Amino acid sequence: MDRAVHELKKQAAKIGANGVILGGTGEKYESYSGFTPNAGGGGYFYSGTTEYQALQGDAIYVY
């Protein structure tokens, strides 16, 4: 989570903000699947889910 907060601050600074108001946090999931053929005419199918932490915030500028 510390890495996500650092990245959020860095992105906010790029647009001139000097602060961030943290909004929501949570987990996101992405599923993937595919098929990889092999030279023998067969292949293999794969699938899985990637889970990662998400962080939302608003960039602000305070005088």
Side-chain angles (χ1 to χ4, degrees):
M1 192 58 71
D2 290 339
R3 191 170 71 182
V5 170
H6 176 73
E7 181 63 26
L8 197 58
K9 288 179 181 180
K10 190 168 84 172
Q11 294 297 321
K14 284 183 181 181
I15 61 170
N18 63 3
V20 174
I21 298 176
L22 295 179
T25 62
E27 296 175 351
K28 288 194 173 188
Y29 301 91
E30 289 183 357
S31 298
Y32 58 90
S33 62
F35 179 77
T36 301
N38 64 22
Y44 63 93
F45 175 79
Y46 59 91
S47 67
T49 302
T50 302
E51 174 186 346
Y52 56 93
Q53 295 291 316
L55 177 67
Q56 185 271 326
D58 295 311
I60 62 170
Y61 182 84
V62 179
Y63 289 102

